[in-house]
Amino acid sequence: MSYKIAAIGDSDNVAGMALAGTAYTHVHISKDSTLAKLNEFLASEEIGLIIITHRVADDLGVEYQQIISKKKLLPLVLRIPDKTGYAPKAD
């Protein structure tokens, strides 16, 4: 089976991922819409990798940690630096 990639982040990161061929994208504007989209991506059988920026994951807070702690093996969730290079000291 061939899996697809999803990306969640600021508009610049998401635009770059879309240009690189990422199948599913979401620009983080509000916490509620992003949490809903993350849950949608996690429930999809087509998606094998979700790329999310550190800053967005931090903005989502405890809810993000709870969702990630309960997810299945796939899709993998990979946190990456955003356009400013922001990454927490400990991940």
Side-chain angles (χ1 to χ4, degrees), residues 23-62:
Y24 300 96
T25 59
H26 176 75
V27 176
H28 173 62
I29 296 172
S30 74
K31 184 176 182 177
D32 291 336
S33 68
T34 301
L35 286 170
K37 188 56 77 168
L38 177 61
N39 280 317
E40 180 184 321
F41 288 163
L42 287 168
S44 174
E45 297 290 326
E46 289 186 325
I47 298 173
L49 174 65
I50 299 171
I51 299 171
I52 186 168
T53 62
H54 285 289
R55 192 172 308 274
V56 170
D58 288 351
D59 286 349
L60 299 179
V62 176

Side-chain angles (χ1 to χ4, degrees), residues 4-5 15-25:
K4 298 188 185 293
I5 298 173
M17 293 291 187
L19 288 171
T22 301
Y24 300 96
T25 59

